[in-house]
Amino acid sequence: MKAIRVALAGTGNCAWSFSQFVAQAQADPEASLPGLMCRTVGGYRLADVRVVAAFDVDADKVGRPLAAAFEAPTISATRFTDLGADRDAPVLAAPLLDGLAGPLGEVITPAGEARDATSESVAKALVEHDVDVLVITLPTGAAQAVRMFAEAALTAGAAVVNCTPEVVARDAGLSARFADAGVPLLGDDLRSHVGATTLHTALIELLLGRGLELDSTYQLNVGGNTDFLNLADATRSATKFTSKANALRAAGMTDVSGVAGPTGFIGHLADTKLCFANVRATSVLGSEVQLDVKLTVEDSPNAAGVIANAVRAAKTAADRNLSGAVDGPAPMLFKSPPNGLPESQARAAFLDFAS
């Protein structure tokens, strides 16, 4: 099939892991890859993906080829493989806006070119590189920058995959404009493959499916990458807490005491993420059931498999003339889509869309 031409808005750890996953598939298109849920989505293999351009504001990345940009000091995700066909994709300057507000501004020096970049220059680059899908992996809280990239993609006619919790697909007005333009929009807030939210919602669905009544729950997450550094600032993490709450409600949690979200930055953990989840429920004769689970994952590869599905779903939506916020695959891929579903229903809807 024709290649899916992808641009990355942000070249951080998740983009690095996704690019490695693509390179692994390109090296052996017929290989069975752990964590790749669907061999094909809409007929597209992961090996059909090409990363043709990227955008960033980091002086250590702008103006360099993609492979070199992923050697920047802020990258903490593991190098599993070298990039192949996409290694020389250019990293272009993005407008600075609010991308480095908060703690990230203390560890990243903005490129001079970022001060001159505009939404128009981003849209022009998307057209020049014939981009099919723009993947937004910017820091949480960068609402202005995320919106700018969505607007630029709309202008260029490129489908959007919004991996951030900033409101894009859930914005009814913006979704309507994408629909009018015939451009697909997927989001919001990527749901990692076997991550904290996936685990937490599965536990809730298990208990509710057995007829128990939920009493309380919490999900506490800590990590050491730049994502957790950024989320340590309460002004940056607010949309993440909202997004996770949306996911728990979609799983069936109603009026119970609960909290879920990032609770700390521990630098020496690097790209390792720890999740501590607790669910208390009432069962037969008023007896109590309590689940305490600890999940340890490398954070960024855990996102890569979902981005691999989302990119192919976005291109498939375009092929099928679907536009605006696309419902079918979104509940399994994102924490806070416009219309969430419990885990089992979301998985069934995605597999139906993918076939």
Side-chain angles (χ1 to χ4, degrees):
M1 298 186 73
K2 180 183 176 183
I4 304 175
R5 297 177 64 84
V6 171
L8 304 172
T11 57
N13 287 301
C14 288
W16 166 224
S17 291
F18 167 67
S19 297
Q20 290 183 79
F21 202 25
V22 170
Q24 187 181 39
Q26 290 171 348
D28 188 353
E30 302 307 318
S32 177
L33 302 178
L36 186 63
M37 179 177 167
C38 292
R39 185 177 182 84
T40 62
V41 175
Y44 292 101
R45 305 168 304 172
L46 182 56
D48 295 321
V49 173
R50 294 289 182 274
V51 179
V52 298
F55 300 90
D56 212 296
V57 298
D58 189 337
D60 288 322
K61 298 176 180 180
V62 173
R64 306 185 73 186
L66 189 64
F70 287 136
E71 296 175 357
T74 52
I75 297 295
S76 57
T78 300
R79 174 187 292 275
F80 293 97
T81 187
D82 292 329
L83 300 192
D86 306 333
R87 62 178 298 105
D88 294 323
V91 179
L92 308 171
L96 186 58
L97 299 174
D98 55 352
L100 297 185
L104 292 180
E106 300 175 9
V107 297
I108 296 174
T109 302
E113 300 94 322
R115 304 189 187 282
D116 298 322
T118 63
S119 178
E120 290 76 17
S121 65
V122 171
K124 181 181 178 182
L126 292 173
V127 172
E128 289 176 346
H129 289 279
D130 194 21
V131 171
D132 296 309
V133 181
L134 175 67
V135 179
I136 303 176
T137 62
L138 300 185
T140 297
Q144 296 174 20
V146 170
R147 182 72 178 218
M148 181 279 300
F149 271 109
E151 294 280 359
L154 179 59
T155 299
V160 167
V161 171
N162 178 32
C163 300
T164 82
E166 307 313 311
V167 177
V168 176
R170 287 171 291 149
D171 184 324
L174 183 59
S175 177
R177 291 171 55 208
F178 269 78
D180 290 343
V183 180
L185 173 59
L186 275 71
D188 297 321
D189 199 8
L190 198 75
R191 179 193 289 257
S192 292
H193 198 53
V194 185
T197 298
T198 298
L199 172 66
H200 201 172
T201 56
L203 293 176
I204 289 172
E205 186 174 10
L206 169 66
L207 296 178
L208 291 177
R210 297 287 176 168
L212 278 67
E213 295 181 358
L214 297 182
D215 296 322
S216 66
T217 188
Y218 62 77
Q219 176 202 128
L220 310 177
N221 303 304
V222 297
N225 57 25
T226 50
D227 185 33
F228 276 93
L229 175 63
N230 177 61
L231 292 170
D233 185 336
T235 64
R236 301 288 277 180
S237 63
T239 52
K240 177 65 75 174
F241 280 92
T242 298
S243 177
K244 283 181 173 285
N246 289 341
L248 298 185
R249 281 192 290 270
M253 189 186 85
T254 53
D255 297 327
V256 302
S257 175
V259 64
T263 53
F265 170 72
I266 303 174
H268 71 260
L269 289 177
D271 199 39
T272 296
K273 173 180 177 177
L274 304 180
C275 163
F276 303 90
N278 169 278
V279 185
R280 291 176 60 249
T282 299
S283 188
V284 176
L285 296 174
S287 60
E288 182 183 85
V289 173
Q290 184 166 188
L291 300 176
D292 286 285
V293 181
K294 175 186 175 184
L295 172 70
T296 304
V297 293
E298 184 168 357
D299 200 23
S300 303
N302 205 20
V306 185
I307 300 175
N309 287 334
V311 162
R312 294 179 294 162
K315 183 61 170 69
T316 298
D319 292 346
R320 296 174 182 173
N321 296 315
L322 302 175
S323 60
V326 181
D327 273 337
M332 198 199 79
L333 302 174
F334 301 94
K335 298 182 184 73
S336 191
N339 300 294
L341 291 171
E343 179 77 16
S344 58
Q345 294 178 36
R347 181 176 183 275
F350 177 81
L351 293 176
D352 181 64
F353 179 88
S355 62

